[in-house]
Amino acid sequence: MEFILRPWTIEDVDSVYLYANNEKIAANLRDVFPFPYAYDDARQFVLSCIQAGEERQLARAIQIDGQAVGSISVTLGEDVYRKSGEIGYWLGESFWGRGIMSRAIRRMCEEAFSRYDIARIHAEPYAANLGSRRALEKAGFTLEGILRQSVYKRGRILDSCIYSLLREEMK
């Protein structure tokens, strides 16, 4: 399935609300991504992506058939992490299992490495999120380790993972 990565526009609020209001998506993201996901959450998210600019974060809508069906971003680190970026993403459930996210991750990393003076991009999926882990691996990321009992989500302590992709691995 074909998709494009593009900057966010205010017209994306309706489709973000439609696709993001999903308990399965929220269960695998940080608490800043709520469930239920209100219309105002979608509006604030889209506005924050538009207003942030691209000096410290590269944020893109994942567009399929004219709709924003997901999000992907690379956020630059600070202080001793200033040569690193963290990638984060979500995709509407009806598009899972089609190889979209692994290709979007790869494209986003190519763009981030070309734009920013960073050496690595990392991701921190929950250990039980096998779909996200598989997408990272298909995109060329390497599992660096499991962080035991590192996340508190929905009343449970979970393991998370650290994956990374180095600039020289983008060949």
Side-chain angles (χ1 to χ4, degrees), residues 6 14-15 27 34 39 45-46 61 78 85-86 92 118 127 133 143 147:
R6 61 158 175 80
D14 289 343
S15 59
Y39 189 83
F45 170 74
V46 171
E78 297 179 349
E86 181 178 9
I118 54 176
R133 293 179 64 182
L143 175 65
L147 303 175

Side-chain angles (χ1 to χ4, degrees), residues 105-152:
I105 290 168
R106 190 74 182 179
R107 285 186 202 171
M108 192 66 164
C109 290
E110 288 170 355
E111 186 172 353
F113 280 127
S114 72
R115 247 178 217 264
Y116 303 116
D117 182 22
I118 54 176
R120 67 183 260 130
I121 297 173
H122 72 273
E124 298 182 26
Y126 303 148
N129 187 350
L130 300 180
S132 183
R133 293 179 64 182
R134 208 167 16 257
L136 288 164
E137 290 166 2
K138 286 170 72 176
F141 277 68
T142 299
L143 175 65
E144 294 183 334
I146 308 264
L147 303 175
R148 299 179 307 152
Q149 298 185 9
S150 62
V151 175
Y152 184 73

Side-chain angles (χ1 to χ4, degrees), residues 12-14 34 37-38 50 68 71 76 78-79 89 97 102 109 112 115 117 125 136-138 151 153 161-163 171:
D12 293 324
V13 172
D14 289 343
Y37 196 91
I50 294 168
S71 173
L76 300 184
E78 297 179 349
D79 195 28
Y89 45 84
S102 58
C109 290
R115 247 178 217 264
D117 182 22
L136 288 164
E137 290 166 2
K138 286 170 72 176
V151 175
K153 180 75 177 176
C161 301
I162 293 287
Y163 280 85
K171 299 172 186 171

